[in-house]
Amino acid sequence: MCLIIVSGTKSICAQTLYQNSKLPIETRVNDLLKQMTLEDKVAQMCQYVGLEHIKNAEKKRAANNKLNNDAQAFYPNVSVSEIEKKIAAGQIGSFLHVLTAKEANYLQALAQKSRLKIPLLIGIDAIHGNGMVKGSTVFPSPISISSSWDIDIQKEIAKITAIEMKATGSQWAFSPNLDIARDPRWGRIGETFGEDPYLVSQMGVATINGLQTSGVAASAKHLIAGSQPVNGLNKAPTDISDRTLEEIFLPPYEAAVAANVMTIMPAHNELNGVPSHANGSLMDGLLRKKWGFKGFYISDWMDIERMANLHRTVANDKDAVLASVSAGMDMHMHGPDFYEYILQLVKEGKLSEDRVTASARRILEVKFKVGLFENPFVDETKQVIFSKEHQNIALSAARKSIVLLKNDNILPLKTGKYKRILVTGPNADNQAMLGDWSQQQPDENVTTVFEGIKAAAPKDCEVILLNSGRFIPELNDSLLNDVVKQAADFDLIIAVVGDNSLRFEGNKRTAGENTDFDDIILPGLQPQFLKDLHALGKPIIAVMVNGRPLAIPWLEENLPAIVEAWEPGSFGGQAIAEILFGQVNPSGKLTVSMLRNVGQIGNYYNHRPSQYALKYIGKATGPLYPFGFGLSYTNYSYANVQLDKVTIRDSESVKLSVQVTNTGEMDGDEIVQLYLNGSLSAVSKPVKELKGFQRISLKAGETKKVEFNLPPVTFKNYDINMNYSVEPGEFTLMVGSSSLDKDLTAVKLQITK
């Protein structure tokens, strides 16, 4: 028996089934949907930016006297008080850009005033830690952590990210980014896990599992291929073949769906002329109906509206909403008009209420799965962020992610050899190592490169910082020349150069979202600065802090050591210093090819055999540093590469084994890589494709046997008719330390029908 309460147009029970946590989620969702009006269901599809974000945007607008734009994110015709009323009336289902537990609790309290008390789902761009919230642990950026090739530590990072998100009121991460890095002009490569679909899939699944087993919904993004724009610019069109789509860009999404990712976000771009936000053949057809995606789609920032004002595929915003929702979209990021448009479209018979109910169902299921109905509020007295345990994982991840690109026997730095060390360069003593999707963090939470080197250096070594200028676009000759003059008095120069992806520094950054370039050299005056320092005749170590792969052939030719630190997070400076002084043996390996110049764009390790039948005139053809490459302070040898069977049927598995020995004098970690070259086929196949990898630890002189179990799917490919199957024939398996042929040992495998 229950007490019937009449409210509005519906009566509800004081003790309803959907509030009973002991019942199955499906039962609870069905019960709740029965009590919801059309308006209630549409409300679940609507997301707004946080109230404090709106207030700050309004202040900026007032100060600059400029009209609204979607980056500022406020609603000119809707006041904060009106939004508060909408929440209390149950007319909003989700928020983003909510950065404190206090605000999250306030919003949830307003939602509890609504008739059905449906909690809000609060999302945030937690790409490598919850860095958009001040005081959080900022882990190495995705391109950094992928260079560790450590799936386990990425899963642990995702778990910690979920803990810190929930502590500040968020239950939904707009992560992982499953874009395949294909164009180094594109500023968002730092958000990706590199250029290989297999590695991206592995890292993506680890992220999804880490987040979702910790009570936070993940969002695989961006569907699809926005990382290969026609001109290197974010939001630009993508034109690729169905084969490239299937072979390169779709595998991480298939893996994400198999991992039960709760949400997916389409891309800004248009694919072969079709805006991704209205690509029904992908969203509703392939992912939902063929692969069985059960979660919901969230639009990216105002991209439904861009179908009208940018892509020009529909006449107006209302038609854009119809096209996107008809294609499979479930939730709109962000703003008030979407709600009214959906109601109008249903009333006009252009959109069915069943279609709206389907979206509401998917969104509610996620809210139940993350436990929002039981725990909508955050305990503001227990803020588990930046704990010692979290700091230790961030430091460990940074140590594993840093790649040593060149070393002419100068590293590790020997005690007593250099009495005066100069640290300089635009990224020497700031937070650039945090990368994109991080707000400015407390200085005491970040170890800069200079701070790390000063702390790690021997006591009899003097470490001096010389300011060369902070912002790369604003570097000036006068200050740089002054540094060069003073540098003559030092024994060793450590130049910290690269890029700046910090979004809070606006137009002063040189990489990150919507910060793309028509070249891939070191930006600004950095190349000349390095040449002027080099003219002094002093040994120079270049430390690269950057979010996208840069072309550095001059550095390779002229400097004795180059360290690619990428964006190593809160403790990047400490990890870099430990590697420089030999306290840690570098072990990271590249997950994206580093090119010699912008003319080499399109140079991926998994290219077709005819790609380099001819050579560039007067220039080297291959990459400067290939995929999978990275040096160590020790050496590794590979021996006894064997298959347990040399002939198998197309339905059978095979095991490959190899013995790896640390032949040097220092303990270290090696990343053992396994590649495949397919059989003879009517369709040309990549010269090699990554099919497995293992990160192993070896003490000096130690040997370990490494085994790879290869199921039939390892050997599948798309034939000339786009059938995904194993084509019989001779396959070549290659195992070694990088994707370079000289670093690989090959064995042959025969596969029959």
Side-chain angles (χ1 to χ4, degrees), residues 289-338:
K289 292 178 179 174
K290 184 175 180 180
W291 291 351
F293 173 52
K294 303 298 183 185
F296 71 83
Y297 289 102
I298 168 72
S299 72
D300 206 344
W301 190 270
M302 303 299 289
D303 276 323
I304 292 178
E305 290 80 357
R306 287 194 180 96
M307 291 166 57
N309 60 41
L310 180 63
H311 302 294
R312 300 299 301 155
T313 56
V314 291
N316 51 54
D317 288 353
K318 182 178 176 181
D319 287 350
V321 169
L322 176 61
S324 188
V325 174
S326 297
M329 187 61 63
D330 298 299
M331 183 183 286
H332 172 250
M333 179 196 293
H334 58 92
D337 296 333
F338 181 85

Short mmCIF file of all heavy atoms in Angstrom, two decimals, residues 289-338:
data_model
loop_
_atom_site.label_atom_id
_atom_site.label_comp_id
_atom_site.label_asym_id
_atom_site.label_seq_id
_atom_site.Cartn_x
_atom_site.Cartn_y
_atom_site.Cartn_z
N LYS A 289 22.92 -0.99 -33.60
CA LYS A 289 22.20 -2.18 -34.07
C LYS A 289 23.12 -3.36 -34.38
O LYS A 289 22.77 -4.51 -34.10
CB LYS A 289 21.37 -1.81 -35.30
CG LYS A 289 20.21 -0.87 -34.96
CD LYS A 289 19.42 -0.47 -36.20
CE LYS A 289 18.26 0.46 -35.81
NZ LYS A 289 17.55 0.99 -37.00
N LYS A 290 24.30 -3.09 -34.94
CA LYS A 290 25.19 -4.20 -35.29
C LYS A 290 26.09 -4.59 -34.12
O LYS A 290 26.23 -5.78 -33.80
CB LYS A 290 26.05 -3.83 -36.50
CG LYS A 290 26.94 -4.99 -36.96
CD LYS A 290 27.69 -4.63 -38.24
CE LYS A 290 28.57 -5.80 -38.70
NZ LYS A 290 29.30 -5.47 -39.95
N TRP A 291 26.69 -3.59 -33.46
CA TRP A 291 27.62 -3.90 -32.37
C TRP A 291 26.93 -4.02 -31.02
O TRP A 291 27.49 -4.57 -30.08
CB TRP A 291 28.70 -2.83 -32.28
CG TRP A 291 29.67 -2.83 -33.43
CD1 TRP A 291 29.78 -3.77 -34.42
CD2 TRP A 291 30.67 -1.85 -33.69
NE1 TRP A 291 30.79 -3.42 -35.29
CE2 TRP A 291 31.36 -2.24 -34.86
CE3 TRP A 291 31.05 -0.68 -33.06
CZ2 TRP A 291 32.40 -1.50 -35.40
CZ3 TRP A 291 32.10 0.07 -33.58
CH2 TRP A 291 32.76 -0.34 -34.75
N GLY A 292 25.72 -3.48 -30.89
CA GLY A 292 24.98 -3.62 -29.65
C GLY A 292 25.28 -2.57 -28.59
O GLY A 292 25.18 -2.86 -27.39
N PHE A 293 25.61 -1.36 -29.00
CA PHE A 293 25.84 -0.28 -28.03
C PHE A 293 24.57 -0.01 -27.24
O PHE A 293 23.51 0.25 -27.81
CB PHE A 293 26.30 0.98 -28.76
CG PHE A 293 26.41 2.21 -27.89
CD1 PHE A 293 27.13 2.18 -26.71
CD2 PHE A 293 25.78 3.39 -28.27
CE1 PHE A 293 27.23 3.31 -25.91
CE2 PHE A 293 25.88 4.52 -27.49
CZ PHE A 293 26.61 4.48 -26.30
N LYS A 294 24.65 -0.06 -25.92
CA LYS A 294 23.47 0.08 -25.05
C LYS A 294 23.38 1.44 -24.37
O LYS A 294 22.35 1.76 -23.77
CB LYS A 294 23.50 -1.01 -23.96
CG LYS A 294 23.57 -2.43 -24.47
CD LYS A 294 22.36 -2.80 -25.31
CE LYS A 294 22.41 -4.26 -25.74
NZ LYS A 294 21.30 -4.61 -26.66
N GLY A 295 24.44 2.22 -24.44
CA GLY A 295 24.46 3.49 -23.72
C GLY A 295 23.79 4.61 -24.50
O GLY A 295 22.99 4.37 -25.40
N PHE A 296 24.16 5.85 -24.18
CA PHE A 296 23.56 6.98 -24.89
C PHE A 296 24.62 7.86 -25.53
O PHE A 296 25.78 7.87 -25.13
CB PHE A 296 22.63 7.79 -23.99
CG PHE A 296 23.29 8.63 -22.91
CD1 PHE A 296 23.80 9.89 -23.19
CD2 PHE A 296 23.34 8.18 -21.60
CE1 PHE A 296 24.37 10.68 -22.20
CE2 PHE A 296 23.90 8.95 -20.60
CZ PHE A 296 24.44 10.21 -20.90
N TYR A 297 24.20 8.60 -26.56
CA TYR A 297 25.05 9.56 -27.26
C TYR A 297 24.87 10.95 -26.68
O TYR A 297 23.74 11.39 -26.43
CB TYR A 297 24.72 9.59 -28.75
CG TYR A 297 25.13 8.36 -29.53
CD1 TYR A 297 24.19 7.40 -29.89
CD2 TYR A 297 26.45 8.16 -29.90
CE1 TYR A 297 24.55 6.27 -30.60
CE2 TYR A 297 26.83 7.03 -30.61
CZ TYR A 297 25.88 6.09 -30.96
OH TYR A 297 26.25 4.97 -31.66
N ILE A 298 25.98 11.64 -26.47
CA ILE A 298 25.97 13.03 -26.04
C ILE A 298 26.61 13.87 -27.15
O ILE A 298 27.68 13.51 -27.66
CB ILE A 298 26.74 13.22 -24.71
CG1 ILE A 298 26.99 14.70 -24.39
CG2 ILE A 298 28.08 12.49 -24.73
CD1 ILE A 298 25.77 15.46 -23.97
N SER A 299 25.98 14.94 -27.54
CA SER A 299 26.58 15.79 -28.57
C SER A 299 27.80 16.50 -28.01
O SER A 299 27.93 16.69 -26.80
CB SER A 299 25.56 16.82 -29.07
OG SER A 299 25.32 17.82 -28.11
N ASP A 300 28.71 16.89 -28.89
CA ASP A 300 29.82 17.72 -28.45
C ASP A 300 29.35 19.18 -28.43
O ASP A 300 28.26 19.51 -28.90
CB ASP A 300 31.04 17.53 -29.37
CG ASP A 300 32.35 17.83 -28.67
OD1 ASP A 300 32.32 18.47 -27.59
OD2 ASP A 300 33.41 17.45 -29.18
N TRP A 301 30.20 20.02 -27.93
CA TRP A 301 29.90 21.42 -27.60
C TRP A 301 29.23 22.16 -28.77
O TRP A 301 29.89 22.56 -29.72
CB TRP A 301 31.21 22.10 -27.21
CG TRP A 301 31.13 23.44 -26.63
CD1 TRP A 301 31.14 24.63 -27.30
CD2 TRP A 301 31.07 23.77 -25.23
NE1 TRP A 301 31.10 25.67 -26.42
CE2 TRP A 301 31.06 25.18 -25.14
CE3 TRP A 301 31.02 23.02 -24.06
CZ2 TRP A 301 31.00 25.85 -23.92
CZ3 TRP A 301 30.97 23.69 -22.85
CH2 TRP A 301 30.97 25.08 -22.79
N MET A 302 27.91 22.32 -28.71
CA MET A 302 27.12 23.09 -29.67
C MET A 302 27.20 22.55 -31.11
O MET A 302 26.91 23.26 -32.07
CB MET A 302 27.54 24.56 -29.65
CG MET A 302 27.43 25.24 -28.30
SD MET A 302 25.75 25.27 -27.63
CE MET A 302 24.96 26.45 -28.72
N ASP A 303 27.56 21.27 -31.27
CA ASP A 303 27.76 20.75 -32.62
C ASP A 303 26.47 20.40 -33.34
O ASP A 303 26.47 20.27 -34.57
CB ASP A 303 28.68 19.53 -32.58
CG ASP A 303 30.15 19.92 -32.59
OD1 ASP A 303 30.49 20.89 -33.28
OD2 ASP A 303 30.96 19.28 -31.90
N ILE A 304 25.39 20.24 -32.62
CA ILE A 304 24.11 20.07 -33.31
C ILE A 304 23.78 21.36 -34.06
O ILE A 304 23.41 21.35 -35.24
CB ILE A 304 22.99 19.69 -32.32
CG1 ILE A 304 23.24 18.28 -31.76
CG2 ILE A 304 21.62 19.74 -33.00
CD1 ILE A 304 22.23 17.82 -30.73
N GLU A 305 23.94 22.48 -33.38
CA GLU A 305 23.67 23.78 -34.00
C GLU A 305 24.60 24.05 -35.19
O GLU A 305 24.21 24.73 -36.16
CB GLU A 305 23.81 24.90 -32.97
CG GLU A 305 22.71 24.93 -31.92
CD GLU A 305 22.89 23.93 -30.79
OE1 GLU A 305 23.86 23.12 -30.83
OE2 GLU A 305 22.06 23.93 -29.86
N ARG A 306 25.81 23.53 -35.14
CA ARG A 306 26.77 23.78 -36.23
C ARG A 306 26.34 23.11 -37.54
O ARG A 306 26.84 23.47 -38.61
CB ARG A 306 28.17 23.31 -35.83
CG ARG A 306 28.83 24.21 -34.81
CD ARG A 306 30.33 23.94 -34.68
NE ARG A 306 30.90 24.83 -33.69
CZ ARG A 306 31.10 24.51 -32.41
NH1 ARG A 306 30.79 23.30 -31.99
NH2 ARG A 306 31.62 25.37 -31.56
N MET A 307 25.44 22.16 -37.45
CA MET A 307 24.93 21.58 -38.69
C MET A 307 24.22 22.63 -39.53
O MET A 307 24.22 22.56 -40.76
CB MET A 307 23.98 20.42 -38.37
CG MET A 307 24.69 19.21 -37.78
SD MET A 307 23.53 18.03 -37.03
CE MET A 307 22.48 17.69 -38.43
N ALA A 308 23.64 23.62 -38.85
CA ALA A 308 22.97 24.70 -39.56
C ALA A 308 23.91 25.85 -39.89
O ALA A 308 23.92 26.36 -41.01
CB ALA A 308 21.78 25.22 -38.73
N ASN A 309 24.73 26.26 -38.90
CA ASN A 309 25.50 27.48 -39.10
C ASN A 309 26.91 27.26 -39.63
O ASN A 309 27.59 28.23 -39.99
CB ASN A 309 25.56 28.31 -37.81
CG ASN A 309 26.21 27.56 -36.65
OD1 ASN A 309 27.20 26.87 -36.82
ND2 ASN A 309 25.65 27.71 -35.45
N LEU A 310 27.38 26.00 -39.68
CA LEU A 310 28.72 25.74 -40.19
C LEU A 310 28.70 24.76 -41.36
O LEU A 310 29.16 25.06 -42.45
CB LEU A 310 29.61 25.19 -39.06
CG LEU A 310 31.05 24.87 -39.45
CD1 LEU A 310 31.79 26.14 -39.89
CD2 LEU A 310 31.79 24.21 -38.29
N HIS A 311 28.13 23.57 -41.14
CA HIS A 311 28.12 22.56 -42.20
C HIS A 311 27.10 22.88 -43.28
O HIS A 311 27.24 22.44 -44.43
CB HIS A 311 27.82 21.18 -41.60
CG HIS A 311 28.81 20.76 -40.55
ND1 HIS A 311 30.13 20.52 -40.82
CD2 HIS A 311 28.65 20.54 -39.21
CE1 HIS A 311 30.75 20.16 -39.71
NE2 HIS A 311 29.88 20.17 -38.72
N ARG A 312 26.06 23.60 -42.90
CA ARG A 312 25.00 24.01 -43.84
C ARG A 312 24.31 22.81 -44.48
O ARG A 312 24.04 22.78 -45.68
CB ARG A 312 25.55 24.95 -44.92
CG ARG A 312 26.16 26.24 -44.40
CD ARG A 312 25.17 27.09 -43.66
NE ARG A 312 24.04 27.46 -44.50
CZ ARG A 312 22.83 27.78 -44.03
NH1 ARG A 312 22.59 27.73 -42.74
NH2 ARG A 312 21.86 28.13 -44.85
N THR A 313 24.00 21.81 -43.67
CA THR A 313 23.27 20.65 -44.18
C THR A 313 21.79 20.70 -43.81
O THR A 313 21.01 19.87 -44.28
CB THR A 313 23.88 19.35 -43.62
OG1 THR A 313 23.88 19.40 -42.18
CG2 THR A 313 25.30 19.16 -44.12
N VAL A 314 21.43 21.65 -42.96
CA VAL A 314 20.02 21.89 -42.60
C VAL A 314 19.80 23.39 -42.56
O VAL A 314 20.75 24.18 -42.48
CB VAL A 314 19.67 21.27 -41.22
CG1 VAL A 314 19.68 19.75 -41.29
CG2 VAL A 314 20.62 21.77 -40.15
N ALA A 315 18.51 23.78 -42.59
CA ALA A 315 18.19 25.19 -42.71
C ALA A 315 18.31 25.97 -41.41
O ALA A 315 18.62 27.16 -41.41
CB ALA A 315 16.77 25.35 -43.28
N ASN A 316 18.05 25.29 -40.28
CA ASN A 316 18.02 26.02 -39.01
C ASN A 316 18.28 25.05 -37.85
O ASN A 316 18.40 23.84 -38.06
CB ASN A 316 16.67 26.73 -38.84
CG ASN A 316 15.50 25.77 -39.05
OD1 ASN A 316 15.41 24.71 -38.41
ND2 ASN A 316 14.60 26.12 -39.97
N ASP A 317 18.36 25.61 -36.65
CA ASP A 317 18.68 24.80 -35.47
C ASP A 317 17.63 23.73 -35.19
O ASP A 317 17.95 22.62 -34.76
CB ASP A 317 18.84 25.70 -34.24
CG ASP A 317 20.11 26.52 -34.28
OD1 ASP A 317 20.94 26.30 -35.19
OD2 ASP A 317 20.28 27.40 -33.41
N LYS A 318 16.38 24.05 -35.42
CA LYS A 318 15.32 23.09 -35.17
C LYS A 318 15.46 21.88 -36.09
O LYS A 318 15.33 20.72 -35.64
CB LYS A 318 13.96 23.75 -35.36
CG LYS A 318 12.78 22.83 -35.07
CD LYS A 318 11.46 23.57 -35.24
CE LYS A 318 10.26 22.66 -35.07
NZ LYS A 318 8.98 23.39 -35.27
N ASP A 319 15.76 22.12 -37.36
CA ASP A 319 15.97 21.02 -38.29
C ASP A 319 17.23 20.23 -37.91
O ASP A 319 17.29 19.01 -38.12
CB ASP A 319 16.11 21.55 -39.72
CG ASP A 319 14.78 22.02 -40.30
OD1 ASP A 319 13.73 21.75 -39.66
OD2 ASP A 319 14.78 22.65 -41.37
N ALA A 320 18.22 20.91 -37.35
CA ALA A 320 19.43 20.24 -36.90
C ALA A 320 19.12 19.27 -35.76
O ALA A 320 19.63 18.15 -35.73
CB ALA A 320 20.47 21.26 -36.46
N VAL A 321 18.27 19.71 -34.84
CA VAL A 321 17.86 18.84 -33.73
C VAL A 321 17.14 17.62 -34.27
O VAL A 321 17.41 16.48 -33.85
CB VAL A 321 16.97 19.62 -32.75
CG1 VAL A 321 16.32 18.67 -31.74
CG2 VAL A 321 17.78 20.69 -32.02
N LEU A 322 16.25 17.81 -35.22
CA LEU A 322 15.52 16.69 -35.81
C LEU A 322 16.47 15.71 -36.49
O LEU A 322 16.38 14.49 -36.29
CB LEU A 322 14.50 17.21 -36.83
CG LEU A 322 13.72 16.13 -37.60
CD1 LEU A 322 12.92 15.24 -36.65
CD2 LEU A 322 12.81 16.77 -38.65
N ALA A 323 17.41 16.23 -37.26
CA ALA A 323 18.35 15.36 -37.98
C ALA A 323 19.24 14.58 -37.01
O ALA A 323 19.48 13.38 -37.20
CB ALA A 323 19.22 16.20 -38.92
N SER A 324 19.71 15.24 -35.97
CA SER A 324 20.62 14.59 -35.04
C SER A 324 19.92 13.53 -34.20
O SER A 324 20.42 12.41 -34.05
CB SER A 324 21.29 15.64 -34.14
OG SER A 324 22.30 15.06 -33.36
N VAL A 325 18.77 13.87 -33.64
CA VAL A 325 18.05 12.91 -32.80
C VAL A 325 17.56 11.74 -33.65
O VAL A 325 17.59 10.59 -33.21
CB VAL A 325 16.88 13.61 -32.07
CG1 VAL A 325 16.03 12.59 -31.31
CG2 VAL A 325 17.42 14.65 -31.10
N SER A 326 17.14 12.01 -34.88
CA SER A 326 16.70 10.93 -35.77
C SER A 326 17.85 9.98 -36.08
O SER A 326 17.65 8.78 -36.31
CB SER A 326 16.14 11.51 -37.06
OG SER A 326 14.98 12.29 -36.81
N ALA A 327 19.08 10.52 -36.07
CA ALA A 327 20.26 9.70 -36.36
C ALA A 327 20.74 8.92 -35.15
O ALA A 327 21.59 8.04 -35.29
CB ALA A 327 21.39 10.59 -36.87
N GLY A 328 20.18 9.24 -33.95
CA GLY A 328 20.56 8.49 -32.76
C GLY A 328 20.97 9.31 -31.56
O GLY A 328 21.22 8.75 -30.49
N MET A 329 21.07 10.64 -31.68
CA MET A 329 21.51 11.48 -30.57
C MET A 329 20.52 11.40 -29.42
O MET A 329 19.31 11.39 -29.61
CB MET A 329 21.66 12.94 -31.03
CG MET A 329 22.29 13.85 -29.99
SD MET A 329 23.94 13.33 -29.57
CE MET A 329 24.76 13.54 -31.15
N ASP A 330 21.07 11.37 -28.18
CA ASP A 330 20.24 11.25 -26.98
C ASP A 330 20.28 12.47 -26.07
O ASP A 330 19.29 12.76 -25.40
CB ASP A 330 20.67 10.03 -26.17
CG ASP A 330 20.49 8.74 -26.94
OD1 ASP A 330 19.34 8.42 -27.30
OD2 ASP A 330 21.50 8.05 -27.19
N MET A 331 21.41 13.15 -26.01
CA MET A 331 21.53 14.30 -25.11
C MET A 331 22.24 15.45 -25.81
O MET A 331 23.17 15.23 -26.59
CB MET A 331 22.27 13.94 -23.82
CG MET A 331 22.35 15.09 -22.80
SD MET A 331 23.31 14.68 -21.31
CE MET A 331 22.17 13.58 -20.47
N HIS A 332 21.80 16.66 -25.51
CA HIS A 332 22.34 17.86 -26.14
C HIS A 332 23.27 18.60 -25.19
O HIS A 332 22.91 18.93 -24.07
CB HIS A 332 21.17 18.79 -26.53
CG HIS A 332 21.61 20.14 -27.01
ND1 HIS A 332 21.39 21.29 -26.27
CD2 HIS A 332 22.24 20.52 -28.14
CE1 HIS A 332 21.87 22.33 -26.93
NE2 HIS A 332 22.39 21.89 -28.06
N MET A 333 24.47 18.89 -25.65
CA MET A 333 25.42 19.75 -24.97
C MET A 333 25.47 21.05 -25.76
O MET A 333 26.11 21.09 -26.80
CB MET A 333 26.80 19.09 -24.91
CG MET A 333 27.87 19.94 -24.23
SD MET A 333 29.59 19.40 -24.53
CE MET A 333 29.66 17.84 -23.69
N HIS A 334 24.91 22.10 -25.33
CA HIS A 334 24.28 22.46 -24.08
C HIS A 334 23.33 23.60 -24.40
O HIS A 334 23.38 24.18 -25.47
CB HIS A 334 25.35 22.93 -23.07
CG HIS A 334 26.17 24.09 -23.57
ND1 HIS A 334 25.83 25.38 -23.32
CD2 HIS A 334 27.28 24.14 -24.37
CE1 HIS A 334 26.72 26.20 -23.92
NE2 HIS A 334 27.60 25.47 -24.55
N GLY A 335 22.43 23.96 -23.49
CA GLY A 335 21.61 25.14 -23.68
C GLY A 335 20.12 24.89 -23.69
O GLY A 335 19.66 23.75 -23.71
N PRO A 336 19.33 25.97 -23.70
CA PRO A 336 17.88 25.89 -23.46
C PRO A 336 17.01 25.56 -24.66
O PRO A 336 15.92 25.03 -24.49
CB PRO A 336 17.56 27.29 -22.93
CG PRO A 336 18.57 28.19 -23.58
CD PRO A 336 19.82 27.37 -23.69
N ASP A 337 17.43 25.86 -25.88
CA ASP A 337 16.52 25.76 -27.03
C ASP A 337 16.15 24.33 -27.39
O ASP A 337 15.06 24.07 -27.90
CB ASP A 337 17.14 26.46 -28.24
CG ASP A 337 17.33 27.96 -28.02
OD1 ASP A 337 16.55 28.52 -27.22
OD2 ASP A 337 18.24 28.54 -28.63
N PHE A 338 17.05 23.40 -27.15
CA PHE A 338 16.85 21.99 -27.52
C PHE A 338 15.54 21.45 -26.94
O PHE A 338 14.79 20.75 -27.61
CB PHE A 338 18.05 21.18 -27.02
CG PHE A 338 18.00 19.72 -27.34
CD1 PHE A 338 18.44 19.23 -28.56
CD2 PHE A 338 17.53 18.80 -26.40
CE1 PHE A 338 18.41 17.88 -28.85
CE2 PHE A 338 17.50 17.45 -26.67
CZ PHE A 338 17.94 16.99 -27.91
#
